[in-house]
Amino acid sequence: MPPAALRYVVPLIALLPCSVLALPASAPKPGHTRVAIETSLGTIIVATDDRRAPITSANFLTYVDDGRFDGVTFYRAARRKSDPKLGLIQGGIDTDARRSLPPIRHEPTTRTGIRHLDATLSMARPDRANSAMGNFFITIGPTPNMDARGDYIGYAAFGHVVAGMDVVKRILAVPTCCGSGPMRGQMIVKPVRIIRAKRLDGKPHPTRGVKPWLLGLKRKI
């Protein structure tokens, strides 16, 4: 189960790294926005489902457009005991409150119709509704226990991987240890760095104002 805390127009081709350009990402589908997540192990391209999960997608894209995911990590790899090649990887701002935006309203799978299948992009959240912020996970293999049912609100799936599942699987396989509760033994020993995340479709809409995590990084002498 995902964590219970904060831990939790045309693309500008000339600005994209070669690793992104080399990936066979298909053209965007109407109502979807692709994002390239460049990591230290390779690039993953995801597509948010802006029509069916507008709140969750907009939140994720704001983190992307602000650069809030640049320099964070994939810090969790949860492998199934029955088949270690299946499970999920989780990344985002972790517990860095400097990068966080206000929590968003929960969009359950019963409302969106987006199920937790293989290569699904979904939001991590604390153990309560309307609490997701800047942590997300990607499934490897169907994970129906994440879908809402009855009184269980589940998790907010809002997109899918369109290229780079080999990178996702590589991250799932890295050594893990530590953690507590449902994350016991699932924390990545050497977290996989997210170098940057960049939208490939549409116009960025960054927030205005001070970005606390950047303060002091570019001081002039």
Side-chain angles (χ1 to χ4, degrees):
M1 179 178 293
L6 256 181
R7 145 177 313 235
Y8 16 44
V9 201
V10 178
L12 299 177
I13 298 297
L15 298 179
L16 294 178
C18 294
S19 56
V20 173
L21 297 176
L23 286 172
S26 58
K29 295 180 180 179
H32 291 74
T33 301
R34 295 171 302 166
V35 171
I37 304 173
E38 184 185 355
T39 82
S40 54
L41 291 183
T43 299
I44 304 163
I45 297 182
V46 298
T48 60
D49 195 325
D50 308 331
R51 290 182 179 174
R52 293 194 292 172
I55 296 172
T56 314
S57 295
N59 176 71
F60 181 83
L61 291 172
T62 299
Y63 276 88
V64 170
D65 293 344
D66 272 0
R68 294 172 190 265
F69 289 146
D70 299 355
V72 300
T73 64
F74 278 103
Y75 51 82
R76 181 187 181 201
R79 295 180 284 272
R80 293 186 195 173
K81 292 182 179 179
S82 59
D83 187 346
K85 292 183 179 180
L86 301 178
L88 63 86
I89 63 170
Q90 184 170 307
I93 66 171
D94 199 355
T95 57
D96 190 350
R98 299 171 305 164
R99 295 176 182 259
S100 68
L101 293 168
I104 58 173
R105 182 160 59 86
H106 182 59
E107 292 180 306
T109 55
T110 48
R111 181 183 303 158
T112 65
I114 308 172
R115 304 297 179 183
H116 287 86
L117 305 174
D118 181 42
T120 297
L121 175 66
S122 189
M123 288 303 295
R125 59 167 176 78
D127 193 19
R128 61 184 183 277
N130 306 323
S131 59
M133 292 188 190
N135 290 289
F136 60 92
F137 62 94
I138 297 171
T139 61
I140 302 90
T143 315
N145 61 304
M146 300 289 187
D147 294 338
R149 59 189 179 281
D151 294 332
Y152 175 60
I153 65 173
Y155 292 85
F158 66 100
H160 62 282
V161 176
V162 296
M165 272 304 287
D166 57 323
V167 178
V168 174
K169 293 175 182 178
R170 200 148 57 234
I171 296 173
L172 182 68
V174 301
T176 56
C177 74
C178 313
S180 61
M183 294 188 290
R184 184 177 180 82
Q186 298 177 358
M187 310 314 294
I188 297 176
V189 175
K190 294 182 179 180
V192 177
R193 185 166 177 254
I194 295 177
I195 299 167
R196 68 172 176 171
K198 183 178 181 64
R199 75 154 71 206
L200 302 181
D201 307 305
K203 182 179 179 180
H205 297 285
T207 59
R208 296 182 178 180
V210 177
K211 295 178 172 55
W213 69 95
L214 296 178
L215 294 179
L217 293 182
K218 297 181 179 179
R219 291 179 179 172
K220 293 182 180 180
I221 299 175

